[in-house]
Structures are given as structure tokens and as C-alpha cells.
Amino acid sequence: MNIHTYEKVWIVASMVLIVGFIATITYGAVGPGIAMIDDDGGDINPDEINDDERFAEPGVEHVGGNEYEVTVVAQAWSYTPSEIEIPANSEVTFYVTSRDVTHSFSVVGTNVNTMVVPGQVSEMTAKFDEPDEYGILCNEYCGEYHHTMEGKLNVVPEDEFDLTELSVEADDEIDAGNETTITANVTNGMQEDLETTVSLEIGNQTQEEDVTVPGDGSEEVAFTVDSADLDEGDNDWTVTVDDYEESGTLSVVTPEGNESADGGDGDA
Amino acid sequence: MRISKGALLVVVAFLVPFVVEFRTALSWFGIKLSILESLALGGVLVIGLLLWAVWPEDGNGGTGAAGSS
Amino acid sequence: MRNAYLDQFPDEARVIKAAFWSSFIALAIGGVLGLVQALHRTDVFRFIQSPDYYTVLTAHGVLLVIVFTIFFLVGTFTWAVTTSLDRGVVDTRFTWAWYIMMVIGAALAGITIFSGFLESAPSILGSELNADVLFTFYAPLEAHPFFYIGLVVFVVGSWLAGVDWFRTWLAWRRENPDERIPLPTFMVLTTTLFWYICTLGVSLSILVFLLPWSLGITESVNPLLTRTMFWYFGHAVVYFWLMPAYLMWYTMLPKFSGGKLFSDPLARVVFVLFLLLSTPLGIHHQYLDPGIAEGYKFIAMTNTMFLLLPSLLTAFTVVASMEHGARQRGGEGYLGWLKALPWRDPIFTGMALAGLMFAAAGFSGMINAGMNINYLVHNTWWVVGHFHLTVGTAVALTFMAASYWFIPQLTGKELWNRSVALGQVVLWFIGMTFMTNAMHRSGLFGLPRRTAEPQYQGFDFEPAVGTVGEINMQVALGAVILTLSLALFLLNMVMTSIGSNSESIPDNTYADTLSGAEDSPRILDNLKLWTAIAVVLVIIAYTLPLASIIDAGGLFGPDIEGFRLSTWVDPAVIESLSEVIR
Ligand code: HEM
Ligand SMILES: [Cu+2]
Ligand SMILES: [Cu+2]
């Protein structure tokens, strides 16, 4: 075959270019950092998402150190959870699956971008160094309101982030003269122990208790409240742990047929 | 004419992607041309080009090397 | 004596003309819908409901990249085979048969899509007639059975067209046992062969999985499997659209520049490479899909990069041939020869501009092909910008420019207005510049494609450069210019067709070569060998991924039913629901 010299030069140059591209991409792919979507996420039956260990309660979980797992369920036309909060300086692995049709889970302006195919779990890991706010959107057509499918990813400063949850159990009413307990339950989603203070404000009194909530565990704190310290009628209370608060009202009532109770005399 | 009318039209057309892409490229260096400025730049280039094209060539003012189709 | 195509092959001319008009109609409707989309998305002018946007987009995609391109292709290929073999097809009745089959298929799919606009679409075969599934029809989005049937009928029609070309070639071979296959026919045959290989995937996907499922015969599909089978076809089809454009660049553009094709052997090598590599790289459209191991994506990436080679070779040959032409016309100097090209000729200028836009598309394409950079741009408007340069310009503009040559050849009438034609191709070039530049830029900050209202409640896009508003205006401006260009094209076609007969139509010939077929080894013409290698490459690239997908999800998937989204829930309910969510 008779090939012109210029053609030969061109062919060689083209091959060099092509091999160069492949080399760069290979370096970028197996080299530092960037993880790609593959079959690591495994498969799942969309009908069984609610019973799935991972997806039954989608949301953020702490794995240890600066590693987190975020599970998300996509369905026409929303994500659960729709807003995600993670700390800066973290390494986050996302697990995303779909209940119905194919969607995407795309964090706008980043490399976190995956198809979400029903029957499959997309797994991808990314690092978030700086606090920022990102939009999440679906960029795969998923039906007539596809354009309304969005979410948010907030990367907050490390010291503002925790996975603490507070729930409080308390009676609504107490008979004058009696005592009651207000129980605060503090859950710690982080793997490390959480040292903090739980405080209760009621009437004009404050009670505080230091607790250590074990990693991935919870702790109960019971405050005893004596009606004698309270006013007759409604008393507002607030339980506080770090930035979390829960409040309610406790009413002190005088039991019927016991008008002249000795309440008020029994100061401790 | 230094080039054929057809070639002139094509060169003018080429200015459009040139200005559009030039504007994009400049903005990566922090130089932001407004739309009006870009239009002005395009206008200047077109006028310059037209002047160049119709300016008689030195010597015998022929049609140069241009083909005539 | 006039010796136009019409004079040589009057019967074939009639079929080809019909095929071209079918493609122009698809282009006209599809193009106008493109304008509707551009204005709607950018919020410049909205007159449809956003849910209907997806009906529009399905029609735009199917009409332009399936109907317009393939009808034009079958016309061009029939012209190329008969012209270069210098004999008619074996039986024009067969030619009409496949053409009519394609029309029926296209019409069936088209009617099903457009019925999506109806307030209450008719119910046929137990389900409502619509197909708001876009041209990729990813399950579990489900279309009416007619949509799938239409597509299959259309594709089978194109298979028969291939049979027609092969038959004609074999008949010629009997009369000319020792001759080399003429270059245009060689291009047609290699392209047809990879078309057979790649369409097998999508046809099986439809016939075995999607159609029975849409008819209610099977209950469930495996979405990843049908998706992978779609892309098995989906990349090769882009080369299928491109090959008639390449054929024109190789066999006609050198002639229009006033010269000869630089090298026939290299042109054959290029087409052999396309036959070998077009299919085993479809997974590069699935870089972001779960359930496919990284290794398979890697193989697809490598094949994709090697497929750059034939396009780089084409760039060389085309430019070299143009330079040769220009020098024949008296051009001189390093770049001075450019001035000597026939820029006044809309056919030449249209094709040259199309080729240039294709080079630009090559750059954005390399970004897409990079497995890792792809994460940034996948399914953003970047990609839409990219393929409006490839299929929307390199292919579409070449076809329009070629029509200025073909229609006079087929009708025996002179082109109505050459200046309007020149303006038309230049306008397309300018319109695409505006539209695709803005699309590429917006992809970089994450603006999604296929989205009726990319304006979100909870966040704003942050362009590194410029503003979203400015980008929107640029897209709208580009779209308006493109639509104007399209109107001028159609006007010219109509006016030419109703014009009167002319004796001054150029002869129907194609470009000579500087280095001819005799310079190329005979093995290049061994189609059986290349087909066998192509099949082996496909088997290597696809067996394992398909096996692992089937292994994980089963042939029919884990109980995944269809979603007919447009009949699924009452839109009013959703509207109020999304109101609440906001
Ligand atoms: C008048 C000229 C045209 C205009 C104004 C136009 C406009 C558009 C716009 C705005 C979109 C984006 C829709 C979205 O992402 O939401 C689009 C998509 C598309 N266009 Fe065009 N277009 C034109 C011509 C063409 C041509 C000639 C072709 C191919 C031959 C083409 C092929 C496509 C395809 C395949 C899509 C993607 C469809 C999908 O995502 O399903 N367009 N067009
Ligand atoms: Cu979506
Ligand atoms: Cu592709």
C-alpha cells in the first residue's frame, strides 16, 4: 500500500495522541482520589426497599473518624431525605437507589453524579473539604414533573456538626403536692462518645446533669420535678442539649375535694 | 476586491464564533466583555475586514489569486 | 445531452426523492419543535405546559436522529451504490417496498408520540396511545406498544434497504468478477454491516423485553439490561448517521473543491475501522451506571479513543483533498490556497463549515469520552451542545448542503436560488455557534439536559463566567437563527421542486482519486473477514457485562412494572402536591 509521507507522519502523531489520552485517563481513574460508579453497590428489589437494612431509614450515618454514609431513596419526583447535612473535612459514601424509574443523583457543580437505576444501588465516595451549600438535582428524565426533582446538600463547619438527637418524655399534668419526672433521651449517632450537659429549665428553676453518651448509643437523664417548686397552673419547661431543645408545659392542678392541701409547706 | 464575495461572507461568518469564543476565553482570565463591547469588537473587525477586502491591491488592482466562482 | 442522475436511473431517482422528502418533513417538524424547546427551557417564551415539554422532546429526538437522518441515509446510499456501480438496483419494486415499510414504521411511532398532546388520548390495545419516553425509551418508563412496533418496522425497513444494496453489489460482482469494489459502494457496504451488528441489540431488546412487557404479556423488565442493549446500538447509530456525511466528504467534497480525493486506500481503512469499532464501545454512555464493573467501562473507553483514529485520518484526507482542489484552481501559498476555494458555492461551503464544526465537536467529545471528566458533564447541557455540533451540524448541515446537489440531480430542475442557499448554510453555522457555545458553558456549571424548567427552588446555578440569563438569551438567539435557516432551506427545496426543467444540470459523477484503489491491498475488500473480526470484538466487549447484569437482576428483572407516567397520576394532584412541597 502506498502511503504519502505526510500521511504517515499524521498517522503516527494521531496514535501518539490517542495513547496519550488513554494514559492520562487511566492515570486519572486509578490514580489518586476519584472513585467511579461500578457494581460495588449491589442490587436490590425495589419492592423491598422499606425492609432493606440500609434503605429502610435513609439518611446520614457516621462510620468512624471522618467517614460518613449517606443513603438516599429516589422516587418520582423527590429524594428521601430531601436535605442532607454533613460536616466539612469528611469523606462521604453515598448509596442511592430508586423506587420506580431511572433517575440521577447529581450534586450540582461537583463530580458526584450518578445514574439511579431501579434494581441497582449506586455507590460513590466523595470528599468534602470546605463548608458549602450544594443543590442536588435529577438530570435523567423520569416523567412529567422531572424538572421539580431536587434536594440540598449542606456541608457545615466541623464543629457545628453532630448526629445528636433529643427526645423528651414528660407528663402534662401533675397534682399539687406530687413529684414527676421529665426524662430526656439523648441519642448519639457518632461513633465517638459524646460528653455534654443536659439541662432542664422549668418555672424559674434550672437543673443540669453532665452525661457521656456512648458512640452509636443513647443515654437517659431523668429530672425530678416537685410541684412545690412550681406555680399553680401552667409551667413551661425546656430541655436543652447543645443546640437541641425540646419544650412543653406542665400543669399543676389541685385535686378535686382537696382544696386546703398542705402544698407550699413542704419545702425541701 | 482582494477575495471573492463568497469567501468574504464566510470570513465574516467566522468572526461570529471567533468573537463568541474569544469572549468565553477572555473571561477565564477575568476579563469580562459585556454584550455591547463584544458587538462593538465584532463591528470593528467586520469593518476592518471589509476595508481590507475592497482596498485595491498594490500594483494593478487586479482580483489577486481569488477564484471567481 | 444532459446526464444527471434522473437521466441515468429514472426509477431509482423517484424512490430516492421520496426518501429525501420524508427526511425533509421530519427535519421541518423536528426543527420547529427544537425552537419550542429552546424558548421554553430558557423561559423566554412558554406556551406549552411543562409536562408536554417531554412529548415535544421525544418528537424532536425521534424525528431528527432517527427519521430525518436515516431517510436521508437510505437515499444517499442508494444513489451511491447505483452511481458507483453504474447499474440500477436489481428490482425497484423491492426498493419501494422497504421505503414504504420505513414510512409506515416512522408514521406509527410518530402518531403515537404526538397523541401525547391530546387531552384524552384514544385507548388502543388496552392502553392509552402515547410515548413520552424520549428517544432512549429507558424502561421502566413505558410507551404504547405502537411506539415499539413502529421503531422495529422502521429498522427492519432499513435492513431490507441493506439487502437491496448488497443484492445490487452481488449482481454487479457477477458482471465484474475481478474489479475492486468502487469506493462509494465499499463505504455503503461496510456501514450496512455494522448497522446489522448494532441494531441486533436494540431489536432484541424491543422484541424480547419491551414490546411483550408493554403489551402485558410479561410482567417485569430488567432496566439495566434493556438500557445496556440500547447503548449497544446507541453509539453505533451515531456513526450510522455520520457515514453518509463522510461519504459525501470523501467522494463529493474533493470534486466540489475542484480536485481529487487524496487517497482511496486510506478511505477504505477508515471505513473498515468504523466497521470494527463502532459497536464495542457503547458502554461509554454508561460510565455513570451502577451495576457495571469499572473494567468494562475501561474497555469501552479504550475503544472509543482508538475510534478517534479514523476521524483524524478523515480530517487529514479531507483537508488535503481540498488543498489539492484549491491548487488546481490556482491557489498558492501556505494558507493562501484557502482563498481559491469555491466559497460562493453553497454545497462546498456548507460541507466545509460542517466539517469545521465537527472538528470543534471532536474536542468536547474527547472530554465526554474521558471516564473521569465525564462525571462533571454527564447529562448536562454540555452533552446537548456536543451533539448539536455532531449530528445537528456535521451531519445535518452536510445533508442540507448535499441536498443542493441531489435535488437538481433527482428532479432535473435547477436550484431555485444559490445565494439564498449560501446564506442558509452560513446562518446554520452562526446559529449553532451561539446555541452550542452557551450549551457547553452551561454544562460546566451543571445545568441539566432534558429538563423543562431548569429553574430550581432551593438553589441557584453559579456560572464561573457570565450569568444564567445571558446564557439563556444566547441559546434563544441561536435557536431563532437556526429556525430561520431551516425555513430558507425548505423554501429552496420547495421552490426548486416546483420549478421548471433545466438542461444545464451537471453530470452525475463523483470525485476521482489521486491514489486509487489499485494502491490498496485486496484484503481491505474482504468484507467477510472484517465482519468476523467485528463480531469477535463485540463478543469480547459485551459478553461479560451482559452476563453479570443478567446474573444480578435476571433476564426480566426483580418484578419491575412499567410506569406510564403521563397516565399515572392526575397532573392536578401533582401540581398541588409540588406546591405543598415547595
Ligand atoms: C432548529 C434547530 C434546532 C434547535 C433549535 C434545537 C434545539 C434543541 C434543544 C434546546 C434541545 C435540548 C432539550 C433539553 O435538553 O431539554 C435539543 C435536544 C436535542 N436535539 Fe436539537 N435542535 C435543533 C436541531 C437539531 C438537529 C438538526 C438534530 C439532529 C439531527 C437535533 C438533535 C437533538 C437531539 C438528539 C436532542 C436530545 C433529545 C433528548 O435529550 O432526548 N437537534 N435540541
Ligand atoms: Cu428526573
Ligand atoms: Cu457514544
Side-chain angles (χ1 to χ4, degrees):
Chain A
M1 189 159 140
N2 162 5
I3 302 179
H4 198 281
T5 327
Y6 287 155
E7 272 174 311
K8 280 188 193 141
V9 173
W10 181 264
I11 293 177
V12 171
S14 303
M15 288 307 288
V16 169
L17 184 77
I18 289 171
V19 173
F21 277 136
I22 296 180
T24 341
I25 292 170
T26 311
Y27 174 73
V30 296
I34 312 143
M36 271 185 283
I37 313 283
D38 55 18
D39 54 353
D40 285 350
D43 43 320
I44 184 172
N45 183 335
D47 291 341
E48 288 160 16
I49 287 178
N50 290 350
D51 310 322
D52 186 82
E53 206 183 314
R54 184 174 271 149
F55 288 101
E57 281 179 59
V60 182
E61 263 188 48
H62 184 221
V63 183
N66 64 344
E67 288 177 29
Y68 295 82
E69 270 184 22
V70 177
T71 45
V72 179
V73 177
Q75 66 259 317
W77 295 284
S78 63
Y79 299 102
T80 320
S82 62
E83 214 164 322
I84 300 169
E85 192 179 277
I86 50 163
N89 241 328
S90 58
E91 189 179 301
V92 181
T93 304
F94 295 91
Y95 295 91
V96 194
T97 194
S98 162
R99 250 184 232 294
D100 39 42
V101 295
T102 301
H103 301 275
S104 95
F105 177 82
S106 308
V107 180
V108 177
T110 72
N111 272 343
V112 180
N113 189 359
T114 177
M115 294 288 106
V116 184
V117 181
Q120 304 287 330
V121 178
S122 311
E123 176 188 329
M124 97 172 297
T125 303
K127 284 207 171 81
F128 293 89
D129 292 335
E130 297 295 325
D132 206 340
E133 288 189 8
Y134 298 97
I136 299 174
L137 56 79
C138 172
N139 65 21
E140 185 57 274
Y141 168 65
C142 55
E144 53 206 343
Y145 285 90
H146 157 63
H147 47 275
T148 62
M149 186 156 171
E150 62 172 292
K152 279 219 76 182
L153 175 71
N154 297 326
V155 184
V156 299
E158 241 174 310
D159 52 0
E160 286 173 25
F161 182 83
D162 57 43
L163 286 172
T164 308
E165 272 171 45
L166 169 68
S167 66
V168 180
E169 260 175 60
D171 293 331
D172 293 340
E173 258 186 25
I174 131 173
D175 285 347
N178 284 359
E179 283 184 352
T180 183
T181 5
I182 293 183
T183 315
N185 191 324
V186 184
T187 335
N188 174 18
M190 305 293 283
Q191 297 299 325
E192 296 90 33
D193 292 355
L194 172 73
E195 281 178 29
T196 184
T197 309
V198 186
S199 64
L200 167 73
E201 260 178 76
I202 185 162
N204 43 20
Q205 295 209 328
T206 307
Q207 303 184 28
E208 284 192 348
E209 194 170 324
D210 292 338
V211 288
T212 304
V213 190
D216 200 17
S218 62
E219 197 65 38
E220 262 184 14
V221 179
F223 296 103
T224 311
V225 180
D226 189 338
S227 60
D229 301 336
L230 305 174
D231 299 332
E232 185 92 4
D234 289 352
N235 293 271
D236 293 334
W237 56 259
T238 309
V239 176
T240 318
V241 179
D242 299 333
D243 294 339
Y244 300 87
E245 256 188 22
E246 193 167 325
S247 35
T249 312
L250 180 67
S251 312
V252 179
V253 293
T254 311
E256 220 121 316
N258 198 1
E259 314 279 313
S260 55
D262 51 348
D265 288 350
D267 272 31
Chain B
M1 286 286 285
R2 294 193 198 212
I3 56 173
S4 68
K5 277 199 198 122
L8 187 60
L9 175 67
V10 172
V11 176
V12 171
F14 262 114
L15 285 178
V16 175
F18 174 76
V19 172
V20 171
E21 302 294 346
F22 185 65
R23 183 165 174 259
T24 311
L26 276 187
S27 58
W28 294 111
F29 299 105
I31 305 169
K32 303 204 166 134
L33 294 186
S34 73
I35 298 194
L36 266 181
E37 284 163 338
S38 319
L39 278 178
L41 173 67
V44 169
L45 288 175
V46 170
I47 291 173
L49 195 69
L50 288 178
L51 282 179
W52 171 81
V54 296
W55 211 260
E57 236 168 317
D58 293 336
N60 44 22
T63 49
S68 53
S69 64
Chain C
M1 250 294 283
R2 191 180 74 174
N3 199 15
Y5 188 80
L6 176 70
D7 309 310
Q8 301 170 322
F9 305 106
D11 295 339
E12 284 81 355
R14 228 167 290 132
V15 196
I16 297 174
K17 206 169 61 184
F20 282 161
W21 273 105
S22 309
S23 96
F24 296 161
I25 291 169
L27 178 65
I29 305 174
V32 170
L33 296 178
L35 179 66
V36 174
Q37 285 160 205
L39 299 180
H40 189 98
R41 272 189 59 120
T42 55
D43 202 9
V44 171
F45 179 54
R46 289 186 171 154
F47 65 95
I48 53 165
Q49 299 289 311
S50 283
D52 283 338
Y53 179 88
Y54 302 105
T55 312
V56 172
L57 188 56
T58 308
H60 181 76
V62 171
L63 284 177
L64 288 172
V65 295
I66 310 283
V67 183
F68 159 63
T69 47
I70 298 183
F71 266 123
F72 201 89
L73 177 145
V74 295
T76 308
F77 278 11
T78 306
W79 165 84
V81 167
T82 46
T83 299
S84 64
L85 297 181
D86 202 15
R87 82 187 298 292
V89 296
V90 176
D91 184 349
T92 25
R93 281 172 307 178
F94 184 68
T95 311
W96 278 110
W98 58 252
Y99 165 71
I100 288 169
M101 198 165 165
M102 288 174 71
V103 171
I104 293 173
L108 197 58
I111 290 168
T112 313
I113 295 168
F114 279 105
S115 149
F117 288 120
L118 298 178
E119 197 67 26
S120 58
S123 186
I124 300 172
L125 287 175
S127 63
E128 227 176 282
L129 194 65
N130 63 38
D132 296 337
V133 292
L134 306 191
F135 82 97
T136 43
F137 51 89
Y138 295 140
L141 292 172
E142 193 177 51
H144 189 274
F146 280 3
F147 175 74
Y148 302 114
I149 295 174
L151 290 184
V152 169
V153 170
F154 184 81
V155 167
V156 173
S158 74
W159 287 352
L160 296 181
V163 169
D164 202 6
W165 304 321
F166 267 96
R167 245 177 117 190
T168 307
W169 167 63
L170 288 173
W172 171 88
R173 175 54 85 208
R174 278 190 295 276
E175 297 151 14
N176 304 276
D178 296 321
E179 254 180 84
R180 296 298 294 264
I181 310 175
L183 185 60
T185 302
F186 182 83
M187 293 171 163
V188 170
L189 298 183
T190 43
T191 306
T192 307
L193 285 170
F194 82 67
W195 180 241
Y196 285 141
I197 296 177
C198 76
T199 42
L200 203 63
V202 74
S203 315
L204 282 179
S205 168
I206 291 181
L207 291 176
V208 179
F209 301 115
L210 298 175
L211 183 58
W213 170 72
S214 152
L215 284 166
I217 299 169
T218 51
E219 303 254 285
S220 165
V221 286
N222 180 343
L224 188 60
L225 180 60
T226 48
R227 192 179 160 87
T228 307
M229 290 171 86
F230 178 85
W231 284 116
Y232 168 95
F233 145 89
H235 192 84
V237 72
V238 316
Y239 288 113
F240 191 57
W241 311 323
L242 198 57
M243 289 308 102
Y246 270 39
L247 188 145
M248 297 306 293
W249 295 349
Y250 273 106
T251 66
M252 298 304 283
L253 190 56
K255 188 181 97 172
F256 294 128
S257 343
K260 295 178 175 180
L261 173 63
F262 198 68
S263 163
D264 169 299
L266 220 55
R268 284 178 207 252
V269 171
V270 164
F271 275 75
V272 166
L273 283 171
F274 279 119
L275 166 56
L276 296 184
L277 289 176
S278 288
T279 312
L281 43 66
I283 289 180
H284 75 197
H285 290 259
Q286 297 178 285
Y287 285 155
L288 271 67
D289 279 14
I292 299 178
E294 210 175 311
Y296 308 138
K297 296 179 178 174
F298 197 82
I299 296 178
M301 183 275 287
T302 323
N303 285 348
T304 308
M305 289 298 171
F306 277 109
L307 204 44
L308 265 177
L309 184 62
S311 288
L312 288 170
L313 292 182
T314 303
F316 179 88
T317 316
V318 170
V319 174
S321 310
M322 275 174 20
E323 183 185 342
H324 174 253
R327 297 207 187 279
Q328 296 299 304
R329 297 164 61 92
E332 282 162 1
Y334 260 128
L335 289 173
W337 56 270
L338 282 170
K339 284 198 294 184
L341 287 167
W343 295 109
R344 183 70 190 75
D345 177 9
I347 310 174
F348 169 81
T349 302
M351 288 189 192
L353 292 179
L356 197 86
M357 288 298 235
F358 192 56
F363 288 106
S364 62
M366 283 178 227
I367 301 283
N368 300 341
M371 272 201 294
N372 38 8
I373 334 177
N374 183 270
Y375 278 74
L376 194 62
V377 295
H378 182 86
N379 266 4
T380 67
W381 238 14
W382 169 282
V383 177
V384 183
H386 167 72
F387 61 64
H388 278 90
L389 287 178
T390 56
V391 67
T393 304
V395 173
L397 185 54
T398 301
F399 286 3
M400 288 188 273
S403 304
Y404 294 137
W405 153 263
F406 278 131
I407 295 301
Q409 286 293 320
L410 297 170
T411 56
K413 296 168 181 178
E414 210 159 350
L415 187 64
W416 173 64
N417 190 319
R418 278 165 61 88
S419 301
V420 168
L422 184 63
Q424 186 267 320
V425 296
V426 167
L427 277 181
W428 191 272
F429 174 79
I430 294 176
M432 272 302 172
T433 301
F434 281 121
M435 191 166 93
T436 57
N437 167 278
M439 284 172 163
H440 277 105
R441 279 162 63 200
S442 62
L444 290 178
F445 59 79
L447 200 74
R449 67 184 281 200
R450 298 183 150 178
T451 300
E453 298 178 29
Q455 290 90 22
Y456 293 88
Q457 309 293 321
F459 62 91
D460 291 317
F461 291 101
E462 288 162 17
V465 174
T467 61
V468 175
E470 178 206 306
I471 284 187
N472 283 342
M473 292 320 290
Q474 206 179 309
V475 168
L477 173 66
V480 169
I481 298 177
L482 284 169
T483 313
L484 178 67
S485 168
L486 178 60
L488 292 178
F489 171 73
L490 294 165
L491 176 72
N492 224 336
M493 289 296 106
V494 171
M495 296 307 283
T496 304
S497 299
I498 60 178
S500 57
N501 246 343
S502 160
E503 279 308 309
S504 57
I505 306 291
D507 288 354
N508 176 40
T509 57
Y510 60 97
D512 252 339
T513 51
L514 282 175
S515 158
E518 62 287 352
D519 285 341
S520 67
R522 283 218 163 236
I523 191 165
L524 279 176
D525 288 10
N526 190 337
L527 297 177
K528 286 195 187 115
L529 173 70
W530 302 124
T531 310
I533 300 180
V535 170
V536 169
L537 287 177
V538 167
I539 292 175
I540 292 175
Y542 268 101
T543 314
L544 291 175
L546 284 178
S548 76
I549 289 169
I550 294 170
D551 187 46
L555 269 178
F556 293 94
D559 193 16
I560 292 179
E561 291 140 35
F563 291 91
R564 298 277 179 91
L565 285 166
S566 45
T567 55
W568 187 21
V569 228
D570 180 10
V573 176
I574 298 298
E575 192 70 278
S576 55
L577 199 76
S578 54
E579 224 52 68
V580 173
I581 295 170
R582 282 165 202 173

